[in-house]
Amino acid sequence: RILIMNHCKDLLPIYLRFIKGVVDSSDLPLNVSREMVQHDRHITQMRNWLTRKILDHLKQWREEEKEKFLSFWKEFGQVFKEGVHVDRENKDRIVDLLLFQSSSGSEELTSLAEYVERMQSDQTEIYYLTGASRTAIEDSPHLEALKAKGYETLYLVDPVDELLAEAVTEYMGKKLRAVSKGVVEFGTDEEKKQAEEKLEGKKSEFSDLLR
């Protein structure tokens, strides 16, 4: 008098599809059809509990067993990032676990929290740049102004990162800014004013070329 399912896709959200295990529950009614299992409220409760348990375990790895977490990230990081879009209830937990390459001077991956800790005192935004690879991003002229100010830039090199950047617009009160889109202003209000005046002067000087 048991119901056995070899694979119940509704027990975990799609971004945790790499997780394998066994779930034993006495809550599901035996007279429910396999097709109706996905609509059972117990399945929803179990999915929520399992998801939180897995995210808590990954957080523990991140804080206490970093090598294990890095091994996990190397294998499944791109898939895990999908959770930012599909699991709004646990979005903040997922964002806390994200890792990125950056211009910090080493190829060690960094979290958003670590980036914020290293921010310059006059820095108000989290800067990032997307590209096909670290090499391609480092050759980008968009980085010149950031390097001059000593601002760190996150390198978003995974295909899913374009969508991730649209979903994560702010972290710890700091807005995320793509340095390849629009004009990025740096420095204090006075420095920004001087830069605007300089730009207007250049526009006047080369007005004949801008017609």
Side-chain angles (χ1 to χ4, degrees):
R1 294 181 55 80
I2 60 174
L3 173 67
I4 298 175
M5 296 183 69
N6 292 329
H7 177 61
C8 183
K9 63 180 182 180
D10 301 295
L11 274 177
L12 286 176
I14 191 170
Y15 70 97
L16 295 178
R17 56 187 177 274
F18 51 85
I19 299 291
K20 297 185 182 296
V22 176
V23 177
D24 181 12
S25 174
S26 59
D27 294 326
L28 291 174
L30 290 175
N31 61 349
V32 68
S33 67
R34 291 176 185 270
E35 291 75 20
M36 293 299 294
V37 165
Q38 62 181 317
H39 302 298
D40 191 278
R41 65 181 179 85
H42 294 104
I43 289 289
T44 301
Q45 291 172 347
M46 284 190 284
R47 179 172 62 246
N48 292 338
W49 184 85
L50 288 169
T51 300
R52 289 194 296 269
K53 194 72 173 176
I54 291 169
L55 294 178
D56 287 344
H57 192 69
L58 290 174
K59 180 181 179 181
Q60 183 180 357
W61 273 7
R62 177 81 178 94
E63 296 173 348
E64 301 175 8
E65 301 182 72
K66 195 170 183 178
E67 289 303 317
K68 279 189 178 182
F69 186 80
L70 290 175
S71 296
F72 149 76
W73 190 261
K74 181 179 178 181
E75 294 294 329
F76 305 111
Q78 289 193 50
V79 177
F80 185 75
K81 287 178 180 179
E82 296 175 12
V84 173
H85 293 276
V86 301
D87 190 355
R88 297 305 176 92
E89 183 179 345
N90 293 296
K91 179 181 175 180
D92 291 342
R93 295 187 183 196
I94 297 169
V95 170
D96 283 337
L97 295 171
L98 298 179
L99 294 181
F100 304 95
Q101 298 185 48
S102 84
S103 62
S104 60
S106 68
E107 296 204 9
E108 184 177 351
L109 299 176
T110 186
S111 66
L112 288 173
E114 291 168 338
Y115 178 102
V116 171
E117 287 181 3
R118 295 192 295 266
M119 286 176 62
Q120 300 288 337
S121 58
D122 62 339
Q123 186 178 345
T124 59
E125 297 176 310
I126 297 173
Y127 300 109
Y128 70 88
L129 191 58
T130 58
S133 66
R134 183 185 183 95
T135 301
I137 292 177
E138 288 181 334
D139 290 338
S140 172
H142 293 293
L143 289 180
E144 293 179 4
L146 290 162
K147 290 179 179 177
K149 294 290 294 184
Y151 293 164
E152 182 178 353
T153 307
L154 296 177
Y155 297 163
L156 277 59
V157 298
D158 294 331
V160 71
D161 284 341
E162 287 282 1
L163 295 175
L164 185 148
E166 293 179 4
V168 184
T169 59
E170 185 174 311
Y171 184 78
M172 294 178 67
K174 309 292 184 181
K175 290 186 177 181
L176 273 69
R177 171 69 71 92
V179 297
S180 60
K181 298 178 181 178
V183 178
V184 180
E185 298 180 342
F186 304 117
T188 62
D189 291 340
E190 181 63 29
E191 290 173 332
K192 291 177 183 178
K193 183 179 179 180
Q194 292 175 359
E196 287 179 6
E197 293 174 350
K198 183 177 180 181
L199 180 60
E200 289 299 322
K202 291 292 184 181
K203 286 182 178 179
S204 299
E205 182 180 350
F206 297 103
S207 58
D208 291 338
L209 297 175
L210 298 175
R211 289 177 181 174

